[in-house]
Amino acid sequence: MGHICVKATFYNAVDYVQYVEGKRRLEEVRKVEVEALVDTGATFPALPEDVVAELALPSVERTFG
């Protein structure tokens, strides 16, 4: 079996809602395009810290063990 990667676009959700409400232009919505590994068994998504920072997303840290 190999790994499956896709091009994925992540948006700042607050910016996107403001765009939908007509308060912001689409060009102003913060977004990041990345190559992402597809994991069909994942229950929690994860993004690298630099992507979280670029999108100004809140960070929720969890430790599983």
Side-chain angles (χ1 to χ4, degrees), residues 12-64:
N12 176 295
V14 173
D15 290 358
Y16 193 80
V17 168
Q18 290 175 346
Y19 160 70
V20 170
E21 294 174 341
K23 298 175 183 175
R24 185 182 289 259
R25 295 191 329 253
L26 185 57
E27 301 81 33
E28 298 172 330
V29 176
R30 290 171 280 192
K31 70 177 182 177
V32 174
E33 292 183 3
V34 298
E35 284 289 317
L37 176 66
V38 176
D39 181 355
T40 58
T43 56
F44 293 98
L47 293 171
E49 288 182 14
D50 62 323
V51 173
V52 171
E54 187 171 345
L55 293 173
L57 301 176
S59 180
V60 177
E61 294 187 30
R62 291 184 177 229
T63 303
F64 298 95

